[in-house]
Amino acid sequence: MIRVRFAPSPTGNLHIGTLRTALFTWLFARRHKGVVVLRIEDTDMQRSSTEFEVNIFEGLEWFGLDNDEGPREGGEYGPYRQSERIEAGIYSGYIETLLASGHAYYCFDTAKELSVERDAAMATGVPYKYSRKALELSEGEVKAKLDAGEAYTIRFKMPDSGWLKYKDMVRGKIAFDNSLISDFVIMKSDGTPSYNFAVVVDDLAMKISHVIRGEDHISNMPRQAAVFAALGATLPEYGHLPMILGPDKAKLSKRHGATSVTEYRDQGFYSPALFNYLSLLGWSPEGQEEFFTKDEIVSLFSTDRVAKANAVFDQRKLTWMNGQYLRRLDVETYEAVILEHLDAGLKADIEVLGDDALSKALLAVRGNLEVLNDINTYGAVFVKTQKEYESDIAEISFSESNIDVLTRFRAILKPEGFSRESFDAGMAVVLEQTGLGKGAVFLPIRLAVSGQKAGPHLGDFAEVVGVETILARLSYVISLT
Ligand code: GLU
């Protein structure tokens, strides 16, 4: 049975990089009909908070990643928060096992003593390894120190020789020399387990078969593998994903703009578009196609096609893709999605224009939108007050040729039987009469009737605001000369 986990730490809002790891983990599981476990790694009590945990749940849900077991769903292998697992004594049980088998030992060295060791290693340029001074203590000495209430940590005894060799699902054959790795702390002096220990205990206890995570964890492999071996367990399969970089090739961070998933939601990204975009960040199916539904991605996903090279997060490409998604939606879905982002006041103002004005207006600006919130910028064009319109016009200068175009157009445009087609036909007649280029005809008309350079198809616009408004505006601009 394939069992995978996402293991976020609730020390910040759900980050786009963490989401990408969760996504690939989820895709792998769904592709192979496996089980997805959500585990909250909140052993760092100082930095973890419920607020961040809630943000993680919200982000995953909005993005469309579900899980079969987790803090909210429950499951056979719970609890699913490490803080609750500490309370349940799960880690201490494993610590006892490792102490008893000689794979772990008490260490009473003070922070100061350890820093002297570390500085000495630094000075000689040798990678630091703990001296194992604590191993020289006799059983009686250890007991006496414990009885006296001395502070201690518990360290894992790394094998002195041998190599950790495994085949990474993404990176292929990997080998680490065990003898280079220092004995590391598995239980901190405050009694909480360290990351490298807790993660192994949980992956083992939760019967995780495949671990997919960021490449920044690859250096932890020899430590985690050694703990697995000491517990007599076989190693799960691992796949380490390339990192996500900003456009300057530095690791993606706040400096590059929004990094939290809920910020993307709030800016008006449509989650299926982000899903499509993130899936292609470090993975690609065969062929050139870039647009895929969630189900298609699930059926195509394979770790064989995950790139080894880091991937660059390109906000412009994502924004473009988002706009493309909005244009491809069926009308009903599009309206439902966009209405969630439309300001209530603007909506009411557009509705006043006529029975189906709202629906026409939403469709008219569809081609202008990149993110959903753009609806409030582009939608405003339909409800400009006369004052706002006049002040826009005051900023524009119309040439003689422009005025000639507007005058001709006004003469052609008839209120009777008006439609978007008759509007377009009118503009075509002006084109023919004047022999001017499209820009020289369409732009002054656009500027005169809307007060702005860009916006919806003018025929659609005219259908929403009404031919009378169009004629009045043409006359207004013509009267200014
Ligand atoms: N809690 C770890 C993190 O957020 C997960 C590490 C792992 O997947 O092993 O980086």
Side-chain angles (χ1 to χ4, degrees), residues 161-477:
S161 61
W163 288 73
L164 161 71
K165 290 186 181 160
Y166 82 100
K167 190 156 178 283
D168 195 277
M169 289 190 281
V170 174
R171 306 181 54 93
K173 284 187 185 164
I174 303 270
F176 283 99
D177 181 349
N178 286 331
S179 72
L180 297 178
I181 312 283
S182 176
D183 292 351
F184 57 98
V185 171
I186 53 178
M187 173 85 83
K188 298 184 239 172
S189 56
D190 63 4
T192 60
S194 68
Y195 157 71
N196 274 309
F197 177 63
V199 87
V200 170
V201 167
D202 291 345
D203 286 342
L204 176 60
M206 294 180 181
K207 297 205 164 48
I208 300 303
S209 63
H210 293 75
V211 174
I212 294 176
R213 61 184 174 188
E215 199 182 79
D216 47 341
H217 285 295
I218 206 162
S219 58
N220 291 318
M221 281 306 296
R223 291 178 195 83
Q224 296 184 10
V227 178
F228 266 105
L231 292 170
T234 50
L235 209 53
E237 299 282 332
Y238 288 85
H240 286 90
L241 305 175
M243 296 278 101
I244 302 184
L245 309 179
D248 59 355
K249 305 281 154 72
K251 197 175 158 192
L252 190 69
S253 75
K254 282 259 169 252
R255 275 188 307 117
H256 300 108
T259 48
S260 89
V261 175
T262 42
E263 274 176 275
Y264 281 89
R265 176 196 64 193
D266 298 343
Q267 285 177 14
F269 283 88
Y270 179 53
S271 64
L274 184 63
F275 193 102
N276 191 153
Y277 178 76
L278 272 193
S279 299
L280 298 179
L281 210 56
W283 169 78
S284 57
E286 271 175 65
Q288 297 302 312
E289 182 55 45
E290 290 189 297
F291 288 88
F292 299 98
T293 64
K294 195 170 173 179
D295 287 346
E296 284 167 345
I297 297 171
V298 168
S299 68
L300 291 168
F301 188 78
S302 102
T303 50
D304 298 348
R305 296 191 60 90
V306 171
K308 291 188 186 61
N310 292 332
V312 174
F313 187 81
D314 181 349
Q315 175 94 27
R316 279 196 326 223
K317 173 91 189 268
L318 166 63
T319 307
W320 170 82
M321 191 170 243
N322 201 69
Q324 291 300 315
Y325 257 80
L326 300 184
R327 305 201 204 342
R328 289 164 187 233
L329 290 177
D330 65 76
V331 171
E332 234 167 74
T333 313
Y334 166 72
E335 284 190 13
V337 166
I338 205 85
L339 278 174
E340 279 179 35
H341 290 257
L342 181 64
D343 283 345
L346 180 54
K347 177 168 178 264
D349 288 350
I350 299 177
E351 276 170 335
V352 166
L353 297 173
D355 277 355
D356 49 3
L358 181 61
S359 148
K360 281 186 173 168
L362 296 182
L363 282 176
V365 294
R366 163 138 83 158
N368 297 116
L369 307 181
E370 286 188 313
V371 294
L372 292 158
N373 291 356
D374 287 345
I375 188 63
N376 295 313
T377 328
Y378 286 101
V381 72
F382 299 103
V383 296
K384 268 185 202 168
T385 61
Q386 184 61 17
K387 208 167 144 216
E388 285 163 343
Y389 166 74
E390 285 179 16
S391 85
D392 286 348
I393 292 296
E395 301 291 316
I396 304 166
S397 62
F398 290 90
S399 68
E400 241 173 76
S401 150
N402 292 160
I403 297 297
D404 176 53
V405 164
L406 300 180
T407 310
R408 287 172 187 275
F409 187 54
R410 182 179 60 174
I412 296 163
L413 206 58
K414 294 281 173 285
E416 306 76 48
F418 174 80
S419 66
R420 90 195 278 277
E421 287 74 25
S422 67
F423 189 101
D424 287 351
M427 291 202 298
V429 173
V430 179
L431 265 180
E432 205 173 306
Q433 286 179 354
T434 56
L436 291 168
K438 282 188 178 169
V441 170
F442 297 169
L443 185 60
I445 296 178
R446 177 178 288 286
L447 287 166
V449 303
S450 72
Q452 59 196 48
K453 285 205 289 284
H457 179 281
L458 282 180
D460 291 337
F461 171 71
E463 280 210 340
V464 177
V465 296
V467 66
E468 296 75 16
T469 302
I470 300 290
L471 287 168
R473 288 183 173 182
L474 292 169
S475 296
Y476 175 76
V477 174

